[in-house]
Amino acid sequence: PAARPRRVMEMWPDEIDALLRTDPRLLLPVGACEPHGPHLPLGTDTILAARAADDLSRCSGVAVAPVVAYGVAAPHAAGARGAAGLRKKTLHRALNDLLAAWEACGVQEFVLLTSHADDAHQEALATVVTAGARVRVVDLLAVELGDLLRGQPEPMHADEVDTSLLLHLAPELVRPARPADYMVERDVLRRFRLGQLGRRPDPLLVLGRPSLASAETGRALWARIIARVAVRVLGVPLEQAAARLAADERP
């Protein structure tokens, strides 16, 4: 484990070379710039992916690439001020270029981290091509979280999960007044992720129950997400991951 995340942007070439000779893996956070209701910032997905990469680097010592802040544009976000995204093939090609450059530097395994659940976005990540390096795509919100939630069975959008996580990680970015809850059937949630709901009259879409969010819930959700990914994807011993998270909680 490392006291600080090992960010590529803050290291010198000789440091990167030495680190990759020891551990040839690279964490790459991929976010999005889209609305998450009227109470959360446009960069919610980017904030979560970047923070996860930093925390996982502290747990494991694996290097962290600069965050890719734009994901595939979701149809419902059209018209929201400040929202911006890429076409699926554009993101796919950009990631191919980035991974090819890092692979030439000695990276042998990439771990792509995202919390943007749009199907086209996740497909762009899952289909990147390398010369020989392994690519693993981690949807941070695919971790089983239902038992930690008060009012919904799974992560949705701008909901109890997103709002709780931001209340824990960046409370200054959460507006105090939260929108009305809006629960939907799983079929509607699935069509939303497939981009089949189309352009909405109100692009500040909320699916779920943000009114039940709390920083305490966010802390529990984050601890589970980071521990599960650290152990199952990066091979970090559970005790080591727990100790690192506990150290981060100390004032």
Side-chain angles (χ1 to χ4, degrees), residues 24-27 99 103 106-112 125-126 128-137 232-235:
R25 296 179 292 177
L26 185 67
L27 296 161
L99 268 60
E103 188 174 9
V107 176
Q108 297 176 18
E109 180 175 322
F110 297 93
V111 180
L112 277 54
L125 272 61
V128 294
V129 179
T130 64
R134 184 182 187 184
V135 179
R136 308 177 76 176
V137 178
R232 297 183 180 183
V233 178
L234 300 178

Side-chain angles (χ1 to χ4, degrees), residues 59-142:
C59 288
S60 64
V62 175
V64 178
V67 64
V68 177
Y70 295 95
V72 174
H76 79 270
R81 295 293 184 266
L86 305 172
R87 290 177 295 173
K88 180 175 71 173
K89 66 179 180 180
T90 303
L91 178 60
H92 179 261
R93 289 174 177 174
L95 291 173
N96 279 345
D97 287 349
L98 292 172
L99 268 60
W102 283 317
E103 188 174 9
C105 295
V107 176
Q108 297 176 18
E109 180 175 322
F110 297 93
V111 180
L112 277 54
L113 304 167
T114 191
S115 66
H116 185 37
D118 181 88
D119 270 33
H121 173 86
Q122 301 229 358
E123 185 179 345
L125 272 61
T127 55
V128 294
V129 179
T130 64
R134 184 182 187 184
V135 179
R136 308 177 76 176
V137 178
V138 176
D139 179 355
L140 297 167
L141 301 187

Side-chain angles (χ1 to χ4, degrees), residues 12 24 39 53 60 65 69 74 81 99 124 128 139 152 160 166 172 203 210 215 221 223 225-226 248:
W12 286 266
H39 61 303
S60 64
R81 295 293 184 266
L99 268 60
V128 294
D139 179 355
Q152 51 185 88
E160 183 183 356
L166 264 290
E172 71 281 3
L221 294 170
I225 290 168
I226 297 303
D248 291 342

Side-chain angles (χ1 to χ4, degrees), residues 96-217:
N96 279 345
D97 287 349
L98 292 172
L99 268 60
W102 283 317
E103 188 174 9
C105 295
V107 176
Q108 297 176 18
E109 180 175 322
F110 297 93
V111 180
L112 277 54
L113 304 167
T114 191
S115 66
H116 185 37
D118 181 88
D119 270 33
H121 173 86
Q122 301 229 358
E123 185 179 345
L125 272 61
T127 55
V128 294
V129 179
T130 64
R134 184 182 187 184
V135 179
R136 308 177 76 176
V137 178
V138 176
D139 179 355
L140 297 167
L141 301 187
V143 173
E144 175 54 51
L145 302 171
D147 61 302
L148 300 176
L149 303 177
R150 296 171 57 195
Q152 51 185 88
E154 61 186 313
M156 303 182 92
H157 183 76
D159 58 340
E160 183 183 356
V161 175
D162 285 337
T163 308
S164 292
L165 288 173
L166 264 290
L167 284 171
H168 169 53
L169 298 172
E172 71 281 3
L173 298 180
V174 182
R175 285 182 170 174
R178 299 178 197 169
D181 296 345
Y182 184 62
M183 286 297 295
V184 297
E185 299 294 331
R186 179 166 289 182
D187 177 63
V188 176
L189 179 63
R190 179 61 182 154
R191 287 192 289 116
F192 166 73
R193 290 173 175 167
L194 286 169
Q196 295 175 351
L197 292 186
R199 181 171 177 173
R200 307 284 293 180
D202 178 9
L204 303 180
L205 186 63
V206 172
L207 301 178
R209 291 182 171 159
S211 68
L212 298 179
S214 70
E216 181 180 1
T217 297

Side-chain angles (χ1 to χ4, degrees), residues 51 168 219 239-251:
R51 177 60 184 269
H168 169 53
R219 184 177 296 106
E239 297 79 7
Q240 181 174 309
R244 180 70 265 171
L245 288 167
D248 291 342
E249 289 292 327
R250 297 188 193 117

